[in-house]
Amino acid sequence: MNGLLAFSRVIDTVNRHLGKVANWMVLLSCVISAGNAASRYTISVSSNAWLEIQWYMFAAMFMLGASYTLARNEHVRVDIIYGHLSTRAQIWVDIIGGILFLLPATVILAWMSWPIFHNSWVSGEVSPNAGGLIRWPVKIFLPLGFWLLTLQGVSEIIKRVAMLTGHMEANLHYERPLQ
Amino acid sequence: MITRELMAPVMFGGLVVFMLIGYPVAFSLAAVGLFFGFIGIESGYFELALLHALPERVFGIMANDLLLAIPFFTFMGAVLERCGLAEDLLEGMGQLFGPVRGGLAYAVIIVGAILGAITGTVAASVIAMGLISLPIMMRYKYDMQLATGVIAASGTITQLIPPSLVLVVLADQLGRSVGDMYAGAIGPSIVQVLLFCAYVLILSIVRPAAMPALPRDALTLKGWALIGRILWGMVPSLVLIFLVLGTILMGLATPTEGGAMGAVGAIALAAMHRRLTWKLLWEGMDSTMRITAMVIYILIGSTIFSLVFRGVDGDLWIEHMLASLPGGSVGFLIVVNLFVFVLAFFLDFFEIAFIIIPLLAPVAQKLGIDLIWFGVLLGANMQTSFMHPPFGFALFYLRGISPREVKSSDIYWGAIPWVVLQLILVAMLIFWPGMVTYWLEKPVVEEPSKIELQFQTPDYELEAPESAPAEGATPREPGEPPASSNDRAADDIERALKQSR
């Protein structure tokens, strides 16, 4: 169990740091987008590369950030039943859900999205817009993000099992995320 | 195995069961989709190729510029919540309306509307107004249910007042322009504010003790000092409204860029109030990132669900059920609104928008319902999801920030009259669509087919002689008729065009 928990801690640390990268994407994409609009009218400059980098950053934001959000238990749930369960039952929901819902979905998506990145990488695909960006750096976030989420799902299951077996303090704070 | 006709209803039932378990919605949706996807493939209802469309769909979500508005508006709200603007506005308005009976309630409604026109997130408005106004209302012996109700309700009107995030998401899901959606929401927003004010006015006559006017010594600001105070709050608000809403409605900026400029403006405002710290900014970025990831993953999950649901003809099943309702489009609207109202007890608006709207929109369109009207109507309806006791978000925030002596039951009971007011608005919208469509610019004969025709016909006539030798250059099989059937079809089209002109 201790070996597994160490593995889980490594995953958590990696995804926490990637979460920080995702945080930066919020501020950077925001400044770039405002800058794009401002420069179009003040100095009549606009470039497809700068327009595209916005959504590259957006992609990075949620593909890298979703794992950290999962680690923080902030993916929204329907809690009419879940909210009234005992802590043990909530742990079981997370274990079963993790194995039957999350992992199959993320593994299939990661596996199916690899060719999208790979084809783009091999063909050197470039944006159809004039002056646009090369495509593979954004497409790599598809398989990467889904694999990271798979790993985080494994880490969450390890932690839940440790909670059940008493290797870890049960701490399942769930609060519906602010909007 | 499940017969093909039963697949869609069973899948819909599966969705309800999977979601009720309480595992995060995004992954439950994905699981339902994939689970029934594999059943469908095993039963031979569709090919594996259907699922191969999934990664491309996810990439489509990445490349969707409009969705970028979600982090921007959320970020703007997170900064605004703490930049001191709401305090300034409430202080000025409170002093202005204070001497009137129920004045603090009017002040909250108006500030809620102004904040709503600046940003699009409920949390920012409710938290800021609750922290400032609730203690004052309690000190001057306002009825507790009225005080909490008016704050929660005024915080949620930001959902309907452009530039709201709900409208952006609805526009995206309905395939309409955000600008039109915003324009359509102007009328209902005004009506809603008037409804709220009218309710306070009536109560102040019926139950004057529930909302006393402020005593003279509470009015610390008079004359120029008061005007200065109000301007100090209003000027930055108007600048922000112009930056976001103005640029979008005038077509100078996309909604996404409007959101970005608003966020930068909010940061500048926080700096002006000397409240801009790295901590504030980082916390804003952090919560924005997590909300964005959560919301986009719901969208990814629902994309998987709806792809398979369509694969088993779920869209036809829904359409068949809804289109055969008695009462035509009004019957449809009433049923749909009741449905959404009930769903809003359990689901948040993002979930409703991503899961339910794609199923309803095609039916609405077939019934000849204007999708802008439909979207604004649903937006007004979903606003109540923030106010439903006991799960409504606005009530939840208010509970979090109100002092101990405020009872939860006061918050819940206080919300009910305002939910009823919002439902009255929904009913008015159903029977009076002009409230929405009046503000939409009349379409300038923008039927694409007609415009294209005007460009194409002269081209065709000019090119025809030139293209003849080129065609002759290609070797023609002997015995082949000189004019291929394609050419004949083109001639027919041209003739039809000439007749239509």
Side-chain angles (χ1 to χ4, degrees):
Chain A
M1 198 69 223
N2 285 332
L4 286 174
L5 276 174
F7 176 60
S8 146
R9 269 194 298 275
V10 171
I11 298 174
D12 288 3
T13 310
V14 169
N15 276 331
R16 192 171 59 243
H17 282 101
L18 290 174
K20 286 183 182 160
V21 175
N23 282 352
W24 272 105
M25 294 300 143
V26 175
L27 186 64
L28 289 179
S29 60
C30 192
V31 170
I32 288 175
S33 179
N36 277 340
S39 72
R40 192 165 61 231
Y41 290 103
T42 50
I43 49 176
S44 301
V45 171
S46 110
S47 120
N48 281 326
W50 284 105
L51 286 174
E52 288 185 9
I53 196 82
Q54 286 179 49
W55 62 262
Y56 277 38
M57 288 180 160
F58 173 58
M61 192 191 306
F62 67 84
M63 289 313 279
L64 295 181
S67 316
Y68 177 58
T69 310
L70 181 67
R72 293 271 306 247
N73 197 7
E74 289 198 6
H75 281 285
V76 68
R77 303 165 184 261
V78 176
D79 54 356
I80 22 177
I81 294 176
Y82 180 85
H84 295 96
L85 295 177
S86 67
T87 308
R88 271 191 94 77
Q90 289 184 340
I91 293 174
W92 274 111
V93 166
D94 282 359
I95 293 177
I96 294 170
I99 294 172
L100 294 183
F101 291 4
L102 181 119
L103 291 184
T106 52
V107 168
I108 289 172
L109 283 171
W111 171 68
M112 285 198 307
S113 56
W114 175 258
I116 292 206
F117 159 69
H118 188 252
N119 293 343
S120 174
W121 164 268
V122 170
S123 69
E125 185 193 4
V126 180
S127 155
N129 302 317
L133 299 172
I134 190 155
R135 276 286 182 262
W136 67 261
V138 68
K139 289 192 167 172
I140 196 171
F141 285 118
L142 284 167
L144 181 65
F146 289 128
W147 281 126
L148 287 169
L149 197 52
T150 309
L151 285 175
Q152 190 63 47
V154 171
S155 163
E156 294 302 310
I157 292 170
I158 293 174
K159 282 188 280 185
R160 297 298 186 283
V161 172
M163 285 174 198
L164 275 186
T165 54
H167 287 81
M168 200 177 151
E169 201 187 328
N171 173 27
L172 282 190
H173 178 67
Y174 172 69
E175 207 172 83
R176 295 167 85 196
L178 296 178
Q179 275 175 17
Chain B
M1 281 275 81
I2 310 164
T3 62
R4 197 184 164 105
E5 290 70 37
L6 270 181
M7 275 297 276
V10 170
M11 190 175 172
F12 200 77
L15 172 73
V16 175
V17 173
F18 275 44
M19 296 232 295
L20 279 179
I21 293 171
Y23 198 70
V25 172
F27 310 117
S28 306
L29 276 166
V32 188
L34 291 173
F35 179 67
F36 283 91
F38 284 109
I39 291 184
I41 292 167
E42 280 302 306
S43 317
Y45 297 147
F46 45 76
E47 301 283 312
L48 185 65
L50 181 80
L51 292 186
H52 277 294
L54 279 178
E56 281 297 345
R57 295 275 176 106
V58 180
F59 181 68
I61 294 173
M62 286 178 168
N64 185 337
D65 248 346
L66 195 53
L67 294 175
L68 199 50
I70 294 174
F72 292 170
F73 277 113
T74 310
F75 189 40
M76 180 184 180
V79 176
L80 268 182
E81 196 180 305
R82 282 168 268 190
C83 79
L85 179 68
E87 284 94 324
D88 288 340
L89 283 170
L90 277 172
E91 203 178 317
M93 291 294 167
Q95 292 281 324
L96 183 67
F97 289 98
V100 188
R101 216 184 281 145
L104 291 176
Y106 294 122
V108 166
I109 296 172
I110 290 169
V111 172
I114 296 172
L115 288 177
I118 298 172
T119 180
T121 50
V122 168
S125 303
V126 174
I127 292 174
M129 296 203 301
L131 280 174
I132 306 153
S133 292
L134 195 55
I136 305 178
M137 289 173 140
M138 285 164 67
R139 193 184 322 145
Y140 293 108
K141 302 275 181 295
Y142 265 58
D143 179 77
M144 195 71 86
Q145 295 185 6
L146 172 77
T148 54
V150 75
I151 290 171
S154 306
T156 59
I157 50 183
T158 176
Q159 287 295 309
L160 189 60
I161 299 178
S164 102
L165 209 44
V166 180
L167 296 175
V168 174
V169 169
L170 282 172
D172 178 58
Q173 292 294 308
L174 291 169
R176 285 292 178 274
S177 98
V178 178
D180 282 353
M181 213 62 153
Y182 281 176
I186 294 174
S189 308
I190 296 173
V191 173
Q192 182 167 40
V193 171
L194 292 179
L195 268 178
F196 282 9
C197 288
Y199 177 65
V200 173
L201 180 69
I202 293 170
L203 268 191
S204 70
I205 296 166
V206 183
R207 292 173 51 206
M211 47 183 99
L214 293 194
R216 224 159 240 298
D217 55 336
L219 303 172
T220 48
L221 294 173
K222 286 193 187 79
W224 285 107
L226 178 59
I227 294 173
R229 189 78 235 177
I230 290 172
L231 286 181
W232 176 245
M234 282 304 288
V235 171
S237 308
L238 291 176
V239 170
L240 278 178
I241 291 174
F242 170 76
L243 261 185
V244 184
L245 197 53
T247 51
I248 297 172
L249 285 180
M250 289 191 302
L252 295 178
T254 64
T256 306
E257 289 168 342
M261 288 194 291
V264 173
I267 294 172
L269 193 63
M272 230 170 73
H273 282 81
R274 299 183 190 287
R275 297 207 185 180
L276 185 63
T277 57
W278 178 241
K279 186 167 166 280
L280 183 154
L281 212 54
W282 181 257
E283 283 173 359
M285 287 152 65
D286 197 41
S287 66
T288 302
M289 182 281 280
R290 280 179 277 126
I291 289 173
T292 307
M294 183 267 285
V295 169
I296 299 297
Y297 262 79
I298 296 177
L299 181 57
I300 293 177
S302 76
T303 304
I304 299 175
F305 174 81
S306 25
L307 185 72
V308 175
F309 195 61
R310 267 164 224 277
V312 297
D313 293 335
D315 46 343
L316 298 179
W317 173 62
I318 296 262
E319 192 187 314
H320 183 74
M321 242 181 0
L322 290 177
S324 53
L325 287 171
S329 61
V330 172
F332 166 78
L333 286 175
I334 291 174
V335 169
V336 162
N337 275 290
L338 283 175
F339 181 56
V340 169
F341 179 74
V342 172
L343 273 186
F345 277 97
F346 314 108
L347 300 180
D348 302 328
F349 93 83
F350 281 119
E351 290 149 42
I352 299 178
F354 290 143
I355 304 169
I356 307 297
I357 305 299
L359 301 177
L360 297 180
V363 188
Q365 199 161 23
K366 276 208 182 127
L367 287 171
I369 293 169
D370 182 67
L371 285 188
I372 301 281
W373 173 44
F374 188 59
V376 173
L377 181 59
L378 289 179
N381 190 338
M382 278 195 256
Q383 188 179 237
T384 60
S385 76
F386 286 83
M387 292 282 291
H388 285 313
F391 299 113
F393 262 107
L395 309 182
F396 183 70
Y397 300 140
L398 200 57
R399 177 67 277 174
I401 52 149
S402 33
R404 282 201 176 278
E405 53 264 44
V406 181
K407 286 187 293 227
S408 290
S409 61
D410 279 337
I411 296 182
Y412 295 158
W413 282 109
I416 290 172
W418 304 90
V419 174
V420 172
L421 287 176
Q422 289 175 341
L423 288 181
I424 293 175
L425 177 74
V426 172
M428 285 168 73
L429 271 167
I430 292 181
F431 293 103
W432 183 25
M435 209 197 300
V436 174
T437 47
Y438 174 79
W439 298 85
L440 299 175
E441 283 171 34
K442 298 280 166 291
V444 197
V445 200
E446 252 189 301
E447 272 180 68
S449 55
K450 280 191 188 156
I451 292 175
E452 252 175 89
L453 292 187
Q454 285 169 345
F455 283 110
Q456 262 179 7
T457 342
D459 269 356
Y460 189 87
E461 281 164 357
L462 282 176
E463 268 178 30
E466 280 174 9
S467 65
E471 230 174 84
T474 54
R476 193 177 277 167
E477 292 285 313
E480 202 191 13
S484 74
S485 59
N486 274 343
D487 289 344
R488 217 173 300 142
D491 288 343
D492 287 345
I493 291 172
E494 207 201 2
R495 209 174 306 127
L497 284 177
K498 277 181 183 150
Q499 277 171 1
S500 77
R501 261 185 295 159

